[in-house]
Amino acid sequence: MQIQDLPYPDPGVPDARSGPRFLWWLFRNQLGCQLKSLAWGLLHFASVAALPFCVGVAVQAVVDRSGTGLALAGGLLALACVGNAVGDTFLHRTAITNWITAAARVQQLLARKAAHLGSALTRRVAAGEVVAVSTGDVEKIGWFVEALSRFTAALVTIVLVCAGLLVYQPALGVVVAVGLPALALAVLPLLPRATRRADTQREKAGRATELASDTVAGLRVLRGIGGEELFLDRYRSASQEVRHAAVRSARMWSLISAIQVLLPGLLLIAVVWYGVRLAREGRITVGELVTVYSSVMVLTYPLRHFEEIAMAYSFSRPSAKRAAGVLSLRRPTDTAGSRAADVPSGDLYDPETGLLAPAGRLTAVVCGDPDAAGLLAERLGGHPSQEGTSVLLGGVPLDELPLDSARTAVLVQDKDPVLLSGTLRDLLDVPASGAVQPDQALAAAQCDDVLAALVQGSLDATDPMDARITERGRSLSGGQRQRLALARSLITDPEALVLDEPTSAVDSHTEARIAQGVRELREGRTTVVFTSSPLLLDRADRVVFLHDGEAVAVGAHRELVRTEPRYRAVVTRETDDEAAPNGSVALNDVLHELEEIEEKA
């Protein structure tokens, strides 16, 4: 796989049982490119290691006054330089390819998992953690995968050079063969502490990122209650904790780097001191001494890759563990699509609550607990947050359908829909049946004033469809965001549409027109609306009242207001003390308000 071929047609099924297993799985899936990187690395490091031998041959040729030997040394030196240049160039190219392709594979896996889990993901993993894994962690994982082949090439080169020195000059070769492994292993006792400090830094950085994300998302609310300075102080405190943790981590890695510089220097001193003694005794030649000295000096370069691989693994191991934790998440009910990939039609039925939404009808659902309503809405769309009995569409369990088919059949719009940044045209460019055009959906959702506001707030767009929407639609009011999200949902024209409080931020007159527009546009389609608004309830074909997780009453809105006290208490916001004496008064007020709004709408 080359960078130009990204993204992967299929990133594969990861081994997410642990961080190390996930790293090993990534390495195995890039084995071909890793072998290329290893080959170019061996050429590069072998060429670098050959330079001392060439220098030693040249020095000895000068001592022996041999022109032939000097010419041979020059030829070997030129060949080593060419090998060094070519090997280094292609080693860098293949290493960066390994890094980017590994990071891209992880990002594709995370994106696929997020799409697979849907809204259940952020209930099980904090949004800030997901962002941190998909940004900073993928780079650290890619770094280790990329560094592994270079480290292997450096290790093989060091072993070969030590073996060659033992053959070339046994007396000094023994010193080098014993000293180099000691250098490589000297920092191992420090790595656990360095790793712990790096983990602490990463955890604090993740918390700071999550705090910043939450603060930005709730900035408008914070300004409304005067809480900006409070949260700013919290973020400053979290940021300082990250800084202190980073300094502590950097101190440990600085100590490791210092040891990596000090110990090779001591080895060089030992080799020179012992080599000079051997030369004075006539046991080795000057050229051999220069060769061994130069070899030890040059080997400090591949030795640095031991420090790099230790750092890369220390940073990537917790990152891989977090990525594996996200990738190991599973949907509570997932049969991997045991049925054919057909989109069923018919009644939408939830066996757990007894909720029935007849095909082609507008069904309103009243639930006193907003959280329970949100969970039920997700279950109706095939996104349950916990195991349970599957919802049926036309008698077919949604859990047994392939995920794409289930999501095509039932679309759920939650109470806080997200608007991605981009133009309005991009926002409304969603998978759809083609039966509902954007202008129809926008009209049904009463978006005329939203379109005008988008054009007015845009510097260069005269067509509302070309106006840009900021991230999460923060430049729009809550009601405007709701209406655009509703228009987007209407365009998809699913077999069954589930709306959770779609008009909670809209004024009553606009709400009445939206109710009528949705009813007309969704004629003949199954629509379920979770709401306690009398305006929406009055437009529904049937209303289902849920109490303690069960459907306890079904009928028309006005009928339920008269006959079901618990329903009336939820819709009119009556307290228990008010319900008995004032029930008829509240009922009359609700009916009178409905009649007034109908006349004005």
Side-chain angles (χ1 to χ4, degrees):
M1 171 64 71
Q2 298 298 315
I3 296 176
Q4 63 186 9
D5 299 324
L6 293 173
Y8 287 95
D10 179 11
V13 180
D15 186 349
R17 289 176 291 176
S18 66
R21 288 177 182 271
F22 180 59
L23 290 174
W24 175 243
W25 178 84
L26 282 174
F27 178 80
R28 287 190 290 109
N29 277 270
Q30 295 184 211
L31 190 57
C33 202
Q34 291 287 351
L35 292 176
K36 290 180 183 178
S37 183
L38 175 60
W40 291 117
L42 287 174
L43 175 61
H44 169 58
F45 288 120
S47 300
V48 171
L51 293 175
F53 175 75
C54 300
V55 173
V57 172
V59 170
Q60 191 62 43
V62 172
V63 172
D64 297 339
R65 299 179 180 275
S66 172
T68 303
L70 191 60
L72 176 62
L76 293 176
L77 188 62
L79 186 62
C81 289
V82 171
N84 181 20
V86 173
D88 190 23
T89 299
F90 286 94
L91 170 61
H92 179 76
R93 181 184 180 91
T94 53
I96 294 300
T97 299
N98 285 332
W99 187 336
I100 294 177
T101 52
R105 186 189 293 273
V106 177
Q107 285 183 324
Q108 280 188 250
L109 290 170
L110 290 171
R112 186 174 68 180
K113 179 59 66 174
H116 183 73
L117 293 175
S119 59
L121 175 61
T122 51
R123 283 198 173 92
R124 302 165 71 178
V125 181
E129 184 72 8
V130 176
V131 172
V133 170
S134 60
T135 53
D137 282 338
V138 296
E139 292 188 6
K140 295 180 178 65
I141 293 171
W143 178 25
F144 174 75
V145 174
E146 171 264 333
L148 193 57
S149 57
R150 287 191 289 111
F151 163 73
T152 305
L155 177 62
V156 171
T157 301
I158 290 174
V159 171
L160 292 177
V161 169
C162 288
L165 289 177
L166 284 173
V167 175
Y168 179 71
Q169 180 42 253
L172 286 176
V174 171
V175 177
V176 176
V178 173
L180 284 177
L183 295 182
L185 300 176
V187 298
L188 288 182
L190 299 177
L191 288 180
R193 181 178 297 180
T195 301
R196 287 194 298 271
R197 292 189 178 186
D199 289 349
T200 302
Q201 177 193 351
R202 171 61 184 77
E203 291 173 2
K204 292 182 179 296
R207 286 196 293 269
T209 301
E210 184 176 349
L211 179 61
S213 176
D214 292 343
T215 302
V216 171
L219 191 58
R220 179 175 294 182
V221 177
L222 292 178
R223 285 176 175 171
I225 63 175
E228 295 172 87
E229 289 300 324
L230 174 62
F231 276 81
L232 184 59
D233 289 341
R234 290 182 182 177
Y235 181 73
R236 286 195 183 112
S237 176
S239 178
Q240 289 302 310
E241 290 183 8
V242 175
R243 184 177 67 84
H244 291 311
V247 170
R248 284 174 52 81
S249 179
R251 285 174 180 168
M252 184 57 63
W253 289 110
S254 297
L255 177 60
I256 293 175
S257 297
I259 292 175
Q260 291 289 312
V261 173
L262 175 64
L263 294 184
L266 295 177
L267 179 61
L268 277 175
I269 293 173
V271 169
V272 171
W273 176 78
Y274 186 54
V276 169
R277 287 188 55 187
L278 294 178
R280 292 179 62 182
E281 294 172 1
R283 295 168 59 183
I284 64 172
T285 64
V286 175
E288 290 173 336
L289 174 59
V290 171
T291 298
V292 175
Y293 168 79
S294 301
S295 297
V296 175
M297 185 174 63
V298 169
L299 284 180
T300 58
Y301 168 57
L303 269 176
R304 274 186 250 144
H305 289 78
F306 284 74
E307 177 191 352
E308 182 191 13
I309 197 65
M311 290 182 65
Y313 182 72
S314 298
F315 281 99
S316 67
R317 184 184 58 79
S319 295
K321 179 180 179 181
R322 283 184 289 271
V326 175
L327 295 175
S328 63
L329 297 176
R330 296 288 183 269
R331 297 177 72 231
T333 53
D334 191 355
T335 60
S338 57
R339 288 180 177 265
D342 297 326
V343 179
S345 61
D347 297 343
L348 187 64
Y349 176 66
D350 177 34
E352 289 194 12
T353 61
L355 171 63
L356 173 66
R361 306 285 295 279
L362 173 58
T363 302
V365 181
V366 176
C367 183
D369 184 355
D371 293 333
L375 294 175
L376 176 56
E378 290 183 352
R379 192 162 70 246
L380 289 177
H383 312 290
S385 57
Q386 55 190 5
E387 293 187 3
T389 306
S390 175
V391 170
L392 306 177
L393 179 61
V396 178
L398 288 180
D399 293 344
E400 297 181 6
L401 290 173
L403 193 57
D404 290 344
S405 299
R407 291 181 174 174
T408 300
V410 184
L411 173 67
V412 178
Q413 177 183 303
D414 61 24
K415 60 172 60 70
D416 186 22
V418 175
L419 303 183
L420 301 179
S421 59
T423 65
L424 180 58
R425 194 184 310 278
D426 295 333
L427 175 70
L428 302 180
D429 184 16
V430 292
S433 66
V436 178
Q437 298 304 312
D439 56 340
Q440 295 175 294
L442 291 168
Q446 300 299 311
C447 293
D448 291 344
D449 63 315
V450 184
L451 301 181
L454 287 174
V455 173
Q456 186 177 3
S458 178
L459 297 177
D460 54 358
T462 57
D463 185 349
M465 301 299 288
D466 296 325
R468 294 197 63 81
I469 298 173
T470 57
E471 180 188 3
R472 298 181 68 90
R474 291 195 177 99
S475 61
L476 303 172
S477 68
Q480 290 173 330
R481 287 196 299 270
Q482 276 192 336
R483 283 178 280 167
L484 285 180
L486 176 58
R488 179 179 59 186
S489 299
L490 293 174
I491 288 174
T492 60
D493 189 38
E495 182 67 29
L497 176 61
V498 180
L499 304 173
D500 187 5
E501 295 289 353
T503 59
S504 58
V506 176
D507 65 84
S508 58
H509 298 291
T510 304
E511 188 176 31
R513 293 193 294 269
I514 290 175
Q516 187 62 32
V518 171
R519 180 183 177 87
E520 293 175 355
L521 193 63
R522 291 288 298 172
E523 184 71 29
R525 290 292 211 183
T526 306
T527 307
V528 180
V529 182
F530 286 82
T531 183
S532 59
S533 166
L535 295 170
L536 287 176
L537 295 172
D538 197 47
R539 297 301 197 283
D541 295 317
R542 67 199 306 265
V543 178
V544 179
F545 176 55
L546 298 178
H547 183 71
D548 291 337
E550 293 184 5
V552 295
V554 180
H557 166 61
R558 303 192 184 207
E559 174 190 349
L560 291 177
V561 168
R562 292 188 181 94
T563 60
E564 178 56 65
R566 293 172 297 182
Y567 175 83
R568 183 171 61 248
V570 173
V571 173
T572 62
R573 275 70 171 179
E574 286 181 346
T575 64
D576 292 338
D577 295 336
E578 297 170 337
N582 299 327
S584 60
V585 176
L587 171 60
N588 292 331
D589 289 343
V590 170
L591 297 178
H592 181 65
E593 180 183 356
L594 286 174
E595 291 173 355
E596 286 185 348
I597 294 175
E598 285 177 353
E599 292 176 359
K600 294 180 180 180

